[in-house]
PDB file of all heavy atoms in Angstrom:
ATOM      1  N   CYS A  45      68.338 102.341 112.683  1.00 97.00           N
ATOM      2  CA  CYS A  45      69.245 103.469 112.905  1.00 97.00           C
ATOM      3  C   CYS A  45      69.873 103.946 111.598  1.00 97.00           C
ATOM      4  O   CYS A  45      70.024 103.176 110.657  1.00 97.00           O
ATOM      5  CB  CYS A  45      70.376 103.060 113.851  1.00 97.00           C
ATOM      6  SG  CYS A  45      69.815 102.753 115.524  1.00 97.00           S
ATOM      7  N   ARG A  46      70.206 105.210 111.603  1.00 97.00           N
ATOM      8  CA  ARG A  46      70.929 105.775 110.453  1.00 97.00           C
ATOM      9  C   ARG A  46      72.368 106.105 110.826  1.00 97.00           C
ATOM     10  O   ARG A  46      73.263 106.020 109.998  1.00 97.00           O
ATOM     11  CB  ARG A  46      70.268 107.082 110.004  1.00 97.00           C
ATOM     12  CG  ARG A  46      68.972 106.886 109.257  1.00 97.00           C
ATOM     13  CD  ARG A  46      68.394 108.241 108.889  1.00 97.00           C
ATOM     14  NE  ARG A  46      69.282 108.965 107.978  1.00 97.00           N
ATOM     15  CZ  ARG A  46      69.134 110.252 107.705  1.00 97.00           C
ATOM     16  NH1 ARG A  46      68.173 110.955 108.280  1.00 97.00           N
ATOM     17  NH2 ARG A  46      69.955 110.851 106.859  1.00 97.00           N
ATOM     18  N   HIS A  47      72.545 106.541 112.067  1.00 97.00           N
ATOM     19  CA  HIS A  47      73.868 107.003 112.493  1.00 97.00           C
ATOM     20  C   HIS A  47      74.537 106.004 113.422  1.00 97.00           C
ATOM     21  O   HIS A  47      73.862 105.272 114.142  1.00 97.00           O
ATOM     22  CB  HIS A  47      73.744 108.343 113.236  1.00 97.00           C
ATOM     23  CG  HIS A  47      72.945 109.355 112.493  1.00 97.00           C
ATOM     24  ND1 HIS A  47      73.392 109.921 111.314  1.00 97.00           N
ATOM     25  CD2 HIS A  47      71.720 109.911 112.747  1.00 97.00           C
ATOM     26  CE1 HIS A  47      72.475 110.787 110.881  1.00 97.00           C
ATOM     27  NE2 HIS A  47      71.452 110.791 111.726  1.00 97.00           N
ATOM     28  N   ILE A  48      75.862 106.038 113.408  1.00 97.00           N
ATOM     29  CA  ILE A  48      76.619 105.198 114.344  1.00 97.00           C
ATOM     30  C   ILE A  48      77.551 106.091 115.161  1.00 97.00           C
ATOM     31  O   ILE A  48      78.261 106.927 114.610  1.00 97.00           O
ATOM     32  CB  ILE A  48      77.445 104.116 113.614  1.00 97.00           C
ATOM     33  CG1 ILE A  48      76.524 103.175 112.813  1.00 97.00           C
ATOM     34  CG2 ILE A  48      78.294 103.308 114.609  1.00 97.00           C
ATOM     35  CD1 ILE A  48      77.247 102.153 111.951  1.00 97.00           C
ATOM     36  N   LEU A  49      77.479 105.917 116.488  1.00 97.00           N
ATOM     37  CA  LEU A  49      78.393 106.621 117.383  1.00 97.00           C
ATOM     38  C   LEU A  49      79.313 105.590 118.025  1.00 97.00           C
ATOM     39  O   LEU A  49      78.849 104.624 118.626  1.00 97.00           O
ATOM     40  CB  LEU A  49      77.598 107.375 118.461  1.00 97.00           C
ATOM     41  CG  LEU A  49      78.380 107.848 119.695  1.00 97.00           C
ATOM     42  CD1 LEU A  49      79.485 108.823 119.321  1.00 97.00           C
ATOM     43  CD2 LEU A  49      77.431 108.484 120.710  1.00 97.00           C
ATOM     44  N   ILE A  50      80.598 105.785 117.866  1.00 97.00           N
ATOM     45  CA  ILE A  50      81.547 104.890 118.538  1.00 97.00           C
ATOM     46  C   ILE A  50      82.175 105.645 119.702  1.00 97.00           C
ATOM     47  O   ILE A  50      82.868 106.637 119.511  1.00 97.00           O
ATOM     48  CB  ILE A  50      82.614 104.352 117.561  1.00 97.00           C
ATOM     49  CG1 ILE A  50      81.910 103.604 116.416  1.00 97.00           C
ATOM     50  CG2 ILE A  50      83.585 103.419 118.290  1.00 97.00           C
ATOM     51  CD1 ILE A  50      82.822 102.943 115.415  1.00 97.00           C
ATOM     52  N   ASN A  51      81.863 105.172 120.905  1.00 97.00           N
ATOM     53  CA  ASN A  51      82.381 105.797 122.118  1.00 97.00           C
ATOM     54  C   ASN A  51      83.661 105.056 122.525  1.00 97.00           C
ATOM     55  O   ASN A  51      83.631 103.891 122.894  1.00 97.00           O
ATOM     56  CB  ASN A  51      81.324 105.704 123.222  1.00 97.00           C
ATOM     57  CG  ASN A  51      81.773 106.364 124.513  1.00 97.00           C
ATOM     58  OD1 ASN A  51      82.964 106.530 124.772  1.00 97.00           O
ATOM     59  ND2 ASN A  51      80.809 106.748 125.334  1.00 97.00           N
ATOM     60  N   MET A  52      84.773 105.773 122.468  1.00 96.00           N
ATOM     61  CA  MET A  52      86.087 105.142 122.663  1.00 96.00           C
ATOM     62  C   MET A  52      86.607 105.231 124.095  1.00 96.00           C
ATOM     63  O   MET A  52      87.766 104.909 124.343  1.00 96.00           O
ATOM     64  CB  MET A  52      87.115 105.823 121.745  1.00 96.00           C
ATOM     65  CG  MET A  52      86.806 105.746 120.269  1.00 96.00           C
ATOM     66  SD  MET A  52      87.182 104.127 119.565  1.00 96.00           S
ATOM     67  CE  MET A  52      88.960 104.215 119.530  1.00 96.00           C
ATOM     68  N   SER A  53      85.751 105.667 125.024  1.00 95.00           N
ATOM     69  CA  SER A  53      86.287 105.944 126.364  1.00 95.00           C
ATOM     70  C   SER A  53      86.926 104.736 127.058  1.00 95.00           C
ATOM     71  O   SER A  53      87.786 104.899 127.902  1.00 95.00           O
ATOM     72  CB  SER A  53      85.224 106.585 127.252  1.00 95.00           C
ATOM     73  OG  SER A  53      84.115 105.740 127.316  1.00 95.00           O
ATOM     74  N   ASN A  54      86.508 103.527 126.692  1.00 94.00           N
ATOM     75  CA  ASN A  54      87.098 102.348 127.343  1.00 94.00           C
ATOM     76  C   ASN A  54      88.118 101.604 126.483  1.00 94.00           C
ATOM     77  O   ASN A  54      88.468 100.465 126.769  1.00 94.00           O
ATOM     78  CB  ASN A  54      85.998 101.379 127.785  1.00 94.00           C
ATOM     79  CG  ASN A  54      85.131 101.975 128.875  1.00 94.00           C
ATOM     80  OD1 ASN A  54      85.643 102.619 129.791  1.00 94.00           O
ATOM     81  ND2 ASN A  54      83.829 101.803 128.748  1.00 94.00           N
ATOM     82  N   VAL A  55      88.568 102.251 125.409  1.00 95.00           N
ATOM     83  CA  VAL A  55      89.546 101.600 124.542  1.00 95.00           C
ATOM     84  C   VAL A  55      90.957 102.000 124.969  1.00 95.00           C
ATOM     85  O   VAL A  55      91.294 103.169 124.999  1.00 95.00           O
ATOM     86  CB  VAL A  55      89.299 101.963 123.051  1.00 95.00           C
ATOM     87  CG1 VAL A  55      90.416 101.422 122.168  1.00 95.00           C
ATOM     88  CG2 VAL A  55      87.954 101.420 122.598  1.00 95.00           C
ATOM     89  N   SER A  56      91.765 101.015 125.308  1.00 94.00           N
ATOM     90  CA  SER A  56      93.103 101.302 125.834  1.00 94.00           C
ATOM     91  C   SER A  56      94.201 101.199 124.782  1.00 94.00           C
ATOM     92  O   SER A  56      95.322 101.638 124.979  1.00 94.00           O
ATOM     93  CB  SER A  56      93.424 100.333 126.967  1.00 94.00           C
ATOM     94  OG  SER A  56      93.283  99.002 126.504  1.00 94.00           O
ATOM     95  N   PHE A  57      93.866 100.588 123.654  1.00 95.00           N
ATOM     96  CA  PHE A  57      94.870 100.397 122.604  1.00 95.00           C
ATOM     97  C   PHE A  57      94.160 100.307 121.262  1.00 95.00           C
ATOM     98  O   PHE A  57      93.088  99.732 121.163  1.00 95.00           O
ATOM     99  CB  PHE A  57      95.668  99.107 122.846  1.00 95.00           C
ATOM    100  CG  PHE A  57      96.623  98.762 121.736  1.00 95.00           C
ATOM    101  CD1 PHE A  57      97.910  99.264 121.734  1.00 95.00           C
ATOM    102  CD2 PHE A  57      96.225  97.959 120.675  1.00 95.00           C
ATOM    103  CE1 PHE A  57      98.792  98.978 120.696  1.00 95.00           C
ATOM    104  CE2 PHE A  57      97.099  97.664 119.639  1.00 95.00           C
ATOM    105  CZ  PHE A  57      98.384  98.171 119.651  1.00 95.00           C
ATOM    106  N   MET A  58      94.788 100.882 120.228  1.00 96.00           N
ATOM    107  CA  MET A  58      94.215 100.723 118.893  1.00 96.00           C
ATOM    108  C   MET A  58      95.334 100.707 117.859  1.00 96.00           C
ATOM    109  O   MET A  58      96.313 101.428 117.992  1.00 96.00           O
ATOM    110  CB  MET A  58      93.250 101.872 118.600  1.00 96.00           C
ATOM    111  CG  MET A  58      92.613 101.783 117.224  1.00 96.00           C
ATOM    112  SD  MET A  58      91.220 102.920 116.992  1.00 96.00           S
ATOM    113  CE  MET A  58      92.058 104.406 116.561  1.00 96.00           C
ATOM    114  N   ASP A  59      95.177  99.865 116.827  1.00 97.00           N
ATOM    115  CA  ASP A  59      96.123  99.903 115.706  1.00 97.00           C
ATOM    116  C   ASP A  59      95.326 100.030 114.403  1.00 97.00           C
ATOM    117  O   ASP A  59      94.141 100.378 114.441  1.00 97.00           O
ATOM    118  CB  ASP A  59      97.065  98.694 115.736  1.00 97.00           C
ATOM    119  CG  ASP A  59      96.335  97.367 115.590  1.00 97.00           C
ATOM    120  OD1 ASP A  59      95.166  97.369 115.132  1.00 97.00           O
ATOM    121  OD2 ASP A  59      96.922  96.327 115.931  1.00 97.00           O
ATOM    122  N   SER A  60      95.964  99.754 113.279  1.00 97.00           N
ATOM    123  CA  SER A  60      95.279  99.990 112.005  1.00 97.00           C
ATOM    124  C   SER A  60      94.034  99.101 111.825  1.00 97.00           C
ATOM    125  O   SER A  60      93.155  99.428 111.037  1.00 97.00           O
ATOM    126  CB  SER A  60      96.237  99.799 110.835  1.00 97.00           C
ATOM    127  OG  SER A  60      96.587  98.441 110.700  1.00 97.00           O
ATOM    128  N   SER A  61      93.967  98.008 112.562  1.00 97.00           N
ATOM    129  CA  SER A  61      92.754  97.174 112.491  1.00 97.00           C
ATOM    130  C   SER A  61      91.550  97.946 113.028  1.00 97.00           C
ATOM    131  O   SER A  61      90.440  97.817 112.509  1.00 97.00           O
ATOM    132  CB  SER A  61      92.936  95.893 113.302  1.00 97.00           C
ATOM    133  OG  SER A  61      94.007  95.139 112.812  1.00 97.00           O
ATOM    134  N   GLY A  62      91.779  98.739 114.069  1.00 96.00           N
ATOM    135  CA  GLY A  62      90.717  99.576 114.626  1.00 96.00           C
ATOM    136  C   GLY A  62      90.312 100.664 113.657  1.00 96.00           C
ATOM    137  O   GLY A  62      89.127 100.973 113.500  1.00 96.00           O
ATOM    138  N   ILE A  63      91.306 101.233 112.986  1.00 96.00           N
ATOM    139  CA  ILE A  63      91.031 102.270 111.984  1.00 96.00           C
ATOM    140  C   ILE A  63      90.168 101.683 110.861  1.00 96.00           C
ATOM    141  O   ILE A  63      89.166 102.273 110.453  1.00 96.00           O
ATOM    142  CB  ILE A  63      92.362 102.824 111.390  1.00 96.00           C
ATOM    143  CG1 ILE A  63      93.196 103.516 112.480  1.00 96.00           C
ATOM    144  CG2 ILE A  63      92.096 103.749 110.204  1.00 96.00           C
ATOM    145  CD1 ILE A  63      92.678 104.853 112.929  1.00 96.00           C
ATOM    146  N   GLY A  64      90.560 100.475 110.402  1.00 96.00           N
ATOM    147  CA  GLY A  64      89.799  99.806 109.344  1.00 96.00           C
ATOM    148  C   GLY A  64      88.366  99.532 109.769  1.00 96.00           C
ATOM    149  O   GLY A  64      87.420  99.689 108.990  1.00 96.00           O
ATOM    150  N   MET A  65      88.198  99.139 111.027  1.00 96.00           N
ATOM    151  CA  MET A  65      86.863  98.860 111.559  1.00 96.00           C
ATOM    152  C   MET A  65      86.015 100.139 111.559  1.00 96.00           C
ATOM    153  O   MET A  65      84.848 100.118 111.175  1.00 96.00           O
ATOM    154  CB  MET A  65      87.002  98.277 112.975  1.00 96.00           C
ATOM    155  CG  MET A  65      85.730  97.743 113.595  1.00 96.00           C
ATOM    156  SD  MET A  65      84.646  99.000 114.286  1.00 96.00           S
ATOM    157  CE  MET A  65      85.572  99.466 115.743  1.00 96.00           C
ATOM    158  N   ILE A  66      86.618 101.259 111.948  1.00 96.00           N
ATOM    159  CA  ILE A  66      85.869 102.521 111.991  1.00 96.00           C
ATOM    160  C   ILE A  66      85.490 102.981 110.575  1.00 96.00           C
ATOM    161  O   ILE A  66      84.345 103.368 110.322  1.00 96.00           O
ATOM    162  CB  ILE A  66      86.670 103.616 112.745  1.00 96.00           C
ATOM    163  CG1 ILE A  66      86.820 103.220 114.226  1.00 96.00           C
ATOM    164  CG2 ILE A  66      85.984 104.985 112.626  1.00 96.00           C
ATOM    165  CD1 ILE A  66      87.742 104.124 115.029  1.00 96.00           C
ATOM    166  N   ILE A  67      86.435 102.872 109.645  1.00 95.00           N
ATOM    167  CA  ILE A  67      86.130 103.256 108.254  1.00 95.00           C
ATOM    168  C   ILE A  67      85.001 102.384 107.697  1.00 95.00           C
ATOM    169  O   ILE A  67      84.093 102.872 107.026  1.00 95.00           O
ATOM    170  CB  ILE A  67      87.387 103.152 107.350  1.00 95.00           C
ATOM    171  CG1 ILE A  67      88.456 104.150 107.804  1.00 95.00           C
ATOM    172  CG2 ILE A  67      87.022 103.407 105.879  1.00 95.00           C
ATOM    173  CD1 ILE A  67      89.798 104.024 107.082  1.00 95.00           C
ATOM    174  N   GLY A  68      85.034 101.108 108.025  1.00 96.00           N
ATOM    175  CA  GLY A  68      83.980 100.188 107.585  1.00 96.00           C
ATOM    176  C   GLY A  68      82.601 100.569 108.117  1.00 96.00           C
ATOM    177  O   GLY A  68      81.604 100.521 107.390  1.00 96.00           O
ATOM    178  N   ARG A  69      82.550 101.004 109.396  1.00 97.00           N
ATOM    179  CA  ARG A  69      81.250 101.417 109.985  1.00 97.00           C
ATOM    180  C   ARG A  69      80.797 102.761 109.413  1.00 97.00           C
ATOM    181  O   ARG A  69      79.611 103.036 109.308  1.00 97.00           O
ATOM    182  CB  ARG A  69      81.334 101.534 111.519  1.00 97.00           C
ATOM    183  CG  ARG A  69      81.496 100.251 112.351  1.00 97.00           C
ATOM    184  CD  ARG A  69      80.977  99.008 111.711  1.00 97.00           C
ATOM    185  NE  ARG A  69      82.109  98.241 111.225  1.00 97.00           N
ATOM    186  CZ  ARG A  69      82.166  97.600 110.075  1.00 97.00           C
ATOM    187  NH1 ARG A  69      81.135  97.552 109.278  1.00 97.00           N
ATOM    188  NH2 ARG A  69      83.260  96.963 109.713  1.00 97.00           N
ATOM    189  N   TYR A  70      81.776 103.597 109.049  1.00 96.00           N
ATOM    190  CA  TYR A  70      81.467 104.863 108.375  1.00 96.00           C
ATOM    191  C   TYR A  70      80.708 104.581 107.071  1.00 96.00           C
ATOM    192  O   TYR A  70      79.684 105.189 106.769  1.00 96.00           O
ATOM    193  CB  TYR A  70      82.789 105.596 108.099  1.00 96.00           C
ATOM    194  CG  TYR A  70      82.739 106.770 107.167  1.00 96.00           C
ATOM    195  CD1 TYR A  70      82.406 108.041 107.634  1.00 96.00           C
ATOM    196  CD2 TYR A  70      83.056 106.627 105.810  1.00 96.00           C
ATOM    197  CE1 TYR A  70      82.386 109.132 106.780  1.00 96.00           C
ATOM    198  CE2 TYR A  70      83.039 107.708 104.954  1.00 96.00           C
ATOM    199  CZ  TYR A  70      82.706 108.954 105.443  1.00 96.00           C
ATOM    200  OH  TYR A  70      82.692 110.029 104.590  1.00 96.00           O
ATOM    201  N   LYS A  71      81.209 103.570 106.344  1.00 95.00           N
ATOM    202  CA  LYS A  71      80.552 103.194 105.089  1.00 95.00           C
ATOM    203  C   LYS A  71      79.169 102.592 105.335  1.00 95.00           C
ATOM    204  O   LYS A  71      78.240 102.821 104.563  1.00 95.00           O
ATOM    205  CB  LYS A  71      81.432 102.203 104.308  1.00 95.00           C
ATOM    206  CG  LYS A  71      82.691 102.866 103.763  1.00 95.00           C
ATOM    207  CD  LYS A  71      83.559 101.875 103.018  1.00 95.00           C
ATOM    208  CE  LYS A  71      84.834 102.543 102.510  1.00 95.00           C
ATOM    209  NZ  LYS A  71      85.893 101.550 102.225  1.00 95.00           N
ATOM    210  N   LYS A  72      79.025 101.829 106.403  1.00 96.00           N
ATOM    211  CA  LYS A  72      77.729 101.257 106.790  1.00 96.00           C
ATOM    212  C   LYS A  72      76.701 102.354 107.010  1.00 96.00           C
ATOM    213  O   LYS A  72      75.582 102.305 106.507  1.00 96.00           O
ATOM    214  CB  LYS A  72      77.869 100.473 108.111  1.00 96.00           C
ATOM    215  CG  LYS A  72      78.186  99.021 107.950  1.00 96.00           C
ATOM    216  CD  LYS A  72      76.921  98.209 107.934  1.00 96.00           C
ATOM    217  CE  LYS A  72      77.058  97.083 107.042  1.00 96.00           C
ATOM    218  NZ  LYS A  72      77.205  95.902 106.847  1.00 96.00           N
ATOM    219  N   ALA A  73      77.082 103.345 107.819  1.00 97.00           N
ATOM    220  CA  ALA A  73      76.167 104.443 108.129  1.00 97.00           C
ATOM    221  C   ALA A  73      75.798 105.192 106.851  1.00 97.00           C
ATOM    222  O   ALA A  73      74.643 105.587 106.653  1.00 97.00           O
ATOM    223  CB  ALA A  73      76.804 105.392 109.142  1.00 97.00           C
ATOM    224  N   GLU A  74      76.776 105.339 105.985  1.00 96.00           N
ATOM    225  CA  GLU A  74      76.551 106.034 104.720  1.00 96.00           C
ATOM    226  C   GLU A  74      75.488 105.350 103.859  1.00 96.00           C
ATOM    227  O   GLU A  74      74.721 106.021 103.173  1.00 96.00           O
ATOM    228  CB  GLU A  74      77.866 106.068 103.929  1.00 96.00           C
ATOM    229  CG  GLU A  74      78.340 107.457 103.595  1.00 96.00           C
ATOM    230  CD  GLU A  74      79.607 107.437 102.743  1.00 96.00           C
ATOM    231  OE1 GLU A  74      80.133 106.345 102.420  1.00 96.00           O
ATOM    232  OE2 GLU A  74      80.075 108.536 102.415  1.00 96.00           O
ATOM    233  N   THR A  75      75.411 104.026 103.914  1.00 96.00           N
ATOM    234  CA  THR A  75      74.424 103.315 103.104  1.00 96.00           C
ATOM    235  C   THR A  75      72.994 103.667 103.514  1.00 96.00           C
ATOM    236  O   THR A  75      72.055 103.486 102.748  1.00 96.00           O
ATOM    237  CB  THR A  75      74.571 101.770 103.198  1.00 96.00           C
ATOM    238  OG1 THR A  75      74.376 101.378 104.572  1.00 96.00           O
ATOM    239  CG2 THR A  75      75.924 101.297 102.727  1.00 96.00           C
ATOM    240  N   ARG A  76      72.832 104.169 104.741  1.00 96.00           N
ATOM    241  CA  ARG A  76      71.502 104.614 105.176  1.00 96.00           C
ATOM    242  C   ARG A  76      71.425 106.133 105.222  1.00 96.00           C
ATOM    243  O   ARG A  76      70.546 106.702 105.884  1.00 96.00           O
ATOM    244  CB  ARG A  76      71.170 104.034 106.550  1.00 96.00           C
ATOM    245  CG  ARG A  76      70.914 102.527 106.492  1.00 96.00           C
ATOM    246  CD  ARG A  76      70.347 102.023 107.789  1.00 96.00           C
ATOM    247  NE  ARG A  76      70.132 100.586 107.750  1.00 96.00           N
ATOM    248  CZ  ARG A  76      69.872  99.852 108.826  1.00 96.00           C
ATOM    249  NH1 ARG A  76      69.794 100.429 110.019  1.00 96.00           N
ATOM    250  NH2 ARG A  76      69.673  98.565 108.721  1.00 96.00           N
ATOM    251  N   GLY A  77      72.350 106.779 104.576  1.00 96.00           N
ATOM    252  CA  GLY A  77      72.358 108.238 104.556  1.00 96.00           C
ATOM    253  C   GLY A  77      72.719 108.849 105.897  1.00 96.00           C
ATOM    254  O   GLY A  77      72.430 110.015 106.163  1.00 96.00           O
ATOM    255  N   GLY A  78      73.342 108.043 106.768  1.00 96.00           N
ATOM    256  CA  GLY A  78      73.691 108.529 108.097  1.00 96.00           C
ATOM    257  C   GLY A  78      75.147 108.908 108.230  1.00 96.00           C
ATOM    258  O   GLY A  78      75.900 108.912 107.260  1.00 96.00           O
TER     259      GLY A  78
END
Side-chain angles (χ1 to χ4, degrees):
Chain A
C45 292
R46 285 179 63 193
H47 310 292
I48 299 174
L49 164 61
I50 302 184
N51 181 337
M52 300 283 286
S53 57
N54 294 318
V55 173
S56 56
F57 174 88
M58 180 168 83
D59 62 18
S60 69
S61 300
I63 297 287
M65 189 280 288
I66 294 172
I67 296 173
R69 291 334 104 221
Y70 168 85
K71 290 179 182 160
K72 269 267 145 106
E74 239 183 359
T75 61
R76 289 190 181 167

